[in-house]
Amino acid sequence: MTHTPRPSTEAILAALPDLAPYARDAVLLHPRRAEPDRRHSSIGGPLLWPSDEPWPQCSLPDVDSADGTPATAMVPVAQIFRRDAPGPGGPAGIDLLQILWCPNEHWDPPAQQADVSPVLDVRWRRAADVTDPLTTPPAPSRYDEDGYLPRACAVTPEHVTDFPFREELPAELRPRLAELVRATGDGGDVITRLAGWKLGGWPTWHLTHPAVVTCGECGTAMTLLFTVASDDETGVVVGRWGDLRVFACPADHRHPFQADLH
């Protein structure tokens, strides 16, 4: 990790004003080991879940179960309250994002899921509607490895402005952004694609060239909703110490998300 402080958004845009249309709000979550309760934002912590709503199960084939049976309970990955991370993503009037996954690798999952990774379930809800929360969720009957069982962490939200990788910009802006990155960092890029557990912002691209992820329902270009990062604090490891990214349709939050692994 680079130790160079990131310039303020104002300083970045003063140096390169043409970046302004590409700025996106983001929240870096900065997990730290703790024992959060269901009323707090967390990574790998308990979810505010209605007791009368079925807990997500996965019955898809995986490494340990070629036919996907018996179904196994999913595990909490993230719970983010809008009060902690206002701004990017989310339908109007909804204040809670919950992400779960099946803690097993799936080699041939449905098209919206990422290959060779856990299968995700993304839920939006209104926290005030959960008046009788579930106290003891089911545990998974099988799991591939500890890297798919996030350790319980509280989060410290940091609200930032994120910028895209230069290849996602018009050709005339790319060398100017590259020069700004060289002038700012000590070998690392502290301007674009901010790394870590992140809500919103721009995706990292360290395995492939940038690509547009399109909504399977309406063809709209999707935006990054959430980044699951590999790190020591949460114990999560996806891919080759990479990121599992969740993309959402900005036209309609009811359209299915898309996930990929980088």
Side-chain angles (χ1 to χ4, degrees):
M1 296 179 61
T2 180
H3 298 288
T4 303
R6 187 176 195 248
S8 67
T9 300
E10 293 76 15
I12 294 170
L13 293 178
L16 189 51
D18 290 340
L19 270 182
Y22 305 96
R24 286 184 182 175
D25 290 335
V27 180
L28 298 175
L29 296 173
H30 300 300
R32 66 188 187 284
R33 292 295 303 278
E35 296 182 3
D37 65 32
R38 67 177 67 91
R39 295 284 176 179
H40 291 89
S41 296
S42 64
I43 303 298
L47 304 183
L48 182 64
W49 196 271
S51 60
D52 60 353
E53 182 176 319
W55 188 264
Q57 304 274 328
C58 181
S59 58
L60 295 173
D62 57 52
V63 173
D64 294 325
S65 177
D67 59 0
T69 56
T72 187
M74 292 189 168
V75 298
V77 175
Q79 170 168 273
I80 308 298
F81 287 88
R82 187 174 291 278
R83 64 173 182 264
D84 299 323
I94 301 299
D95 61 354
L96 180 57
L97 169 66
Q98 295 173 323
I99 299 176
L100 307 90
W101 68 23
C102 171
N104 297 281
E105 282 190 348
H106 296 78
W107 289 81
D108 189 22
Q112 76 177 103
Q113 302 282 352
D115 290 336
V116 198
S117 66
V119 164
L120 294 163
D121 192 314
V122 177
R123 304 289 180 102
W124 292 100
R125 69 173 78 251
R126 185 178 292 103
D129 292 343
V130 186
T131 57
D132 181 21
L134 180 68
T135 56
T136 308
S141 58
R142 63 180 183 276
Y143 60 91
D144 282 347
E145 54 187 90
D146 290 344
Y148 297 154
L149 298 176
R151 299 170 187 152
C153 290
V155 298
T156 302
E158 178 189 3
H159 300 261
V160 296
T161 300
D162 205 3
F163 296 99
F165 184 56
R166 62 180 178 272
E167 291 188 18
E168 297 182 86
L169 295 171
E172 64 272 15
L173 281 182
R174 296 174 190 175
R176 296 163 61 191
L177 176 58
E179 178 56 34
L180 178 61
V181 168
R182 284 194 296 270
T184 303
D186 55 2
D189 182 351
V190 298
I191 304 295
T192 73
R193 305 157 297 152
L194 297 174
W197 290 79
K198 184 169 69 174
L199 181 69
W202 287 89
T204 57
W205 296 101
H206 48 260
L207 292 181
T208 67
H209 290 290
V212 176
V213 180
T214 57
C215 175
E217 292 286 322
C218 66
T220 300
M222 304 181 91
T223 54
L224 181 65
L225 171 63
F226 196 83
T227 300
V228 175
S230 299
D231 71 342
D232 290 325
E233 194 71 11
T234 64
V236 169
V237 179
V238 289
R240 296 179 179 178
W241 202 261
D243 295 332
L244 185 61
R245 295 98 58 86
V246 183
F247 294 85
C249 178
D252 192 332
H253 75 276
R254 294 168 296 183
H255 291 172
F257 67 87
Q258 295 280 345
D260 73 357
L261 184 64
H262 275 266

